[in-house]
Amino acid sequence: MVMSGEKPGPRTAADAAEGGDAAAPMSLRERKKRLTYQAVSDAAIALFLERGFDKVSVAEIAAAADISKPTLFRYFPAKEDLALHRFADHEDESARVVAGRAEDESPLDALRRHYLDGLERRDPVTGLCDVPQVLAFHRLLYGTPSLVARLYGYQSRSEAALARVLGDRAADRLAAGQIIAVLRILSLENWQRISEGRSADQVYADAVEAAEQGFAQLRSGLEA
């Protein structure tokens, strides 16, 4: 079964190159590269929040980050990626959760546990976060059509990464698509409730109930 408790085999060198290895030490060059990514993205987001995504040019972002436009594009191929850099580390999150689960835990149980833990921690990725800066960023994201469109690309890569961990058969790709869709909808609904003026604490119980319903529907469909 696609959602059975059988764990995938050991990661190959190609897997590590593609998805990264959290246990591997990071080189000084890689640390500097990541710091640059973060600094440039932070500068861009500050400008986007102040003036709006469409009213800020790439040249202005490069100047604010004290780099040239060609250098900026080496780090971020598209302007939208400057705003969505925060999602990059989460692209393979579901895949990592499934790959790192306990021997006796099914993929779906691992993902449910991880998502409920995120709700409890008020992880911004779950949408259940009322920190003003996070709310401002989410308003920027969901209020900018080009960013929403670009976000779907990130989610497509999340599906692909999860499908590979599940086995990359047709049934696995179908399962991954359903799982990522459920996580996206749950998180979007949490953000919408908070954007209407409710606090994260007020939304928490409803968010947990919705998550349980979502995973129950996945389980009935994928583990039948």
Side-chain angles (χ1 to χ4, degrees):
M1 289 293 291
V2 65
M3 299 304 294
S4 70
E6 182 181 356
K7 295 191 71 172
R11 287 163 59 89
T12 65
D15 294 332
E18 183 175 80
D21 189 343
M26 191 183 300
S27 68
L28 177 61
R29 180 179 179 181
E30 182 62 25
R31 286 198 299 272
K32 288 182 176 179
K33 185 176 180 181
R34 290 200 178 191
L35 287 172
T36 301
Y37 267 113
Q38 191 65 53
V40 175
S41 177
D42 287 348
I45 290 172
L47 289 171
F48 295 153
L49 291 175
E50 179 184 352
R51 292 163 48 196
F53 180 80
D54 294 325
K55 294 182 179 179
V56 178
S57 70
V58 172
E60 289 175 301
I61 296 167
D66 197 25
I67 60 175
S68 67
K69 279 181 63 176
T71 298
L72 184 149
F73 280 122
R74 282 201 296 271
Y75 284 95
F76 297 95
K79 180 181 173 183
E80 289 79 8
D81 292 326
L82 287 156
L84 294 174
H85 170 62
R86 297 177 179 184
F87 286 88
D89 290 340
H90 296 281
E91 272 193 20
D92 64 345
E93 184 169 310
S94 292
R96 286 186 278 111
V97 169
V98 170
R101 72 190 190 278
E103 292 287 346
D104 59 349
E105 189 174 36
S106 74
L108 205 54
D109 285 340
L111 290 166
R112 170 187 170 275
R113 169 183 51 77
H114 180 75
Y115 189 78
L116 291 176
D117 178 66
L119 291 177
E120 187 173 356
R121 291 184 288 104
R122 307 299 192 261
D123 188 335
V125 173
T126 68
L128 191 68
C129 183
D130 54 11
V131 174
Q133 297 93 323
V134 173
L135 286 176
F137 176 75
H138 281 161
R139 282 193 291 269
L140 169 72
L141 170 60
Y142 294 117
T144 308
S146 61
L147 291 179
V148 173
R150 193 74 172 183
L151 181 59
Y152 278 105
Y154 281 72
Q155 292 167 340
S156 177
R157 290 190 288 275
S158 294
E159 289 181 20
L162 179 57
R164 286 193 295 271
V165 171
L166 293 174
D168 216 16
R169 299 161 295 186
D172 301 316
R173 292 190 287 275
L174 288 169
Q178 293 176 65
I179 290 167
I180 297 301
V182 166
L183 294 175
R184 174 181 60 81
I185 292 168
L186 289 172
S187 299
L188 180 58
E189 289 192 351
N190 291 336
W191 174 77
Q192 287 174 332
R193 292 189 185 104
I194 289 177
S195 70
E196 293 168 356
R198 300 173 65 186
S199 70
D201 289 344
Q202 290 171 331
V203 174
Y204 176 71
D206 289 340
V208 170
E209 181 180 0
E212 294 288 17
Q213 290 174 347
F215 279 97
Q217 289 182 16
L218 283 170
R219 184 170 288 105
S220 65
L222 297 177
E223 295 184 344

